[in-house]
């Protein structure tokens, strides 16, 4: 049987259409051209934080699964905390929590 292609190639090939479609969304076009405001950029980073946080939680919970164990490199791949720190998200959440108290 022929050897399976590397995961990176399978992901690239399998998401090619979705990436092309995403590149044609107005926000992404403007982002690529550097035409978004700092506020929109921060909002995007804050949205990505939630996505990465959930993905990373799921990967950690299932890290021992035979398929995921080969792909789980938390030190190299996790981004949630970096996104949180770079967006000021943590300070905004802290300020909102203090205001509610």
């Amino acid at each position: 049987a022929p050897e399976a292609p590397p995961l990176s190639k399978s992901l690239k090939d399998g998401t090619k259409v979705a990436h092309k479609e995403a590149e044609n969304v107005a926000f992404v076009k403007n982002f690529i051209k550097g035409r978004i405001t700092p506020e929109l950029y921060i909002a995007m980073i804050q949205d990505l934080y939630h996505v990465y946080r959930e993905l990373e939680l799921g990967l950690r919970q299932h890290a021992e699964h035979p398929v995921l164990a080969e792909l789980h490199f938390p030190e190299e791949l996790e981004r949630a905390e970096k996104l949180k720190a770079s967006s000021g998200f943590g300070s905004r959440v802290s300020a909102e929590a203090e205001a509610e108290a």
Side-chain angles (χ1 to χ4, degrees):
E3 190 173 315
L7 177 62
S8 58
K9 178 162 179 29
S10 295
L11 286 171
K12 183 177 181 179
D13 292 346
T15 59
K16 191 179 293 185
V17 173
H19 276 124
K20 198 62 170 168
E21 289 174 0
E23 290 170 3
N24 289 312
V25 172
F27 175 84
V28 175
K29 281 184 174 181
N30 288 327
F31 176 77
I32 291 170
K33 294 176 183 177
R35 296 182 186 159
I36 63 167
T37 65
E39 294 81 14
L40 280 175
Y41 177 75
I42 290 170
M44 179 188 71
I45 296 299
Q46 291 172 345
D47 289 344
L48 286 173
Y49 162 75
H50 293 288
V51 172
Y52 274 85
R53 184 187 66 194
E54 292 303 315
L55 286 170
E56 292 165 9
L57 177 63
L59 283 170
R60 277 187 245 120
Q61 287 175 341
H62 302 286
E64 300 301 319
H65 187 279
V67 173
L68 290 179
E70 295 180 28
L71 305 171
H72 189 236
F73 302 103
E75 289 185 28
E76 293 88 347
L77 298 176
E78 289 192 359
R79 297 286 179 261
E81 289 305 312
K82 291 176 180 146
L83 290 167
K84 182 178 178 181
S86 68
S87 71
F89 187 67
S91 60
R92 186 178 68 108
V93 170
S94 297
E96 289 174 0
E98 287 178 21
E100 291 176 3

